[in-house]
Amino acid sequence: NDFPDDERRMRYFHGLYAILALSDRWGLTLGLDTGSQQEAKGSSATDWWVNPQAVLRYQVSDRVSVAGRVEYYDDRNGVIVSPTGAGFR
């Protein structure tokens, strides 16, 4: 984590991805990144964040493909994204 040793908090991160070939030309990648971190050193309370995403790819030719990505990010307590006062969504 980003804290000095005397304030160190446990942080857990998980990434899960699925890459799907829908056809010879279409592909889809689905992903989910999520994690949690102790609110304070020694605390059992945690702050969490989540980031689901999807990437759709179309193979135009052997050398050219086009892709689009959509995602959502929720870090209400500013664990990964610097605190903004209202969290990041």
Side-chain angles (χ1 to χ4, degrees), residues 30-34 50-54 69-74:
L30 300 172
L32 177 65
D33 295 330
T34 186
V50 65
N51 171 229
Q53 67 260 193
R69 177 183 177 118
V70 294
E71 64 181 291
Y72 174 77
Y73 203 94
D74 189 341

Side-chain angles (χ1 to χ4, degrees), residues 11-87:
R11 180 182 285 180
Y12 303 95
F13 182 83
H14 309 283
L16 176 65
Y17 291 87
I19 301 171
L20 309 168
L22 303 177
S23 72
D24 290 343
R25 293 195 180 263
W26 289 96
L28 178 64
T29 301
L30 300 172
L32 177 65
D33 295 330
T34 186
S36 64
Q37 176 177 284
Q38 284 178 303
E39 285 184 1
K41 184 176 182 174
S43 172
S44 62
T46 58
D47 294 323
W48 63 273
W49 66 92
V50 65
N51 171 229
Q53 67 260 193
V55 179
L56 183 64
R57 180 185 51 82
Y58 179 71
Q59 191 75 36
V60 178
S61 68
D62 289 342
R63 299 181 59 163
V64 176
S65 63
V66 177
R69 177 183 177 118
V70 294
E71 64 181 291
Y72 174 77
Y73 203 94
D74 189 341
D75 184 9
R76 297 173 195 205
N77 299 301
V79 177
I80 301 299
V81 178
S82 296
T84 61

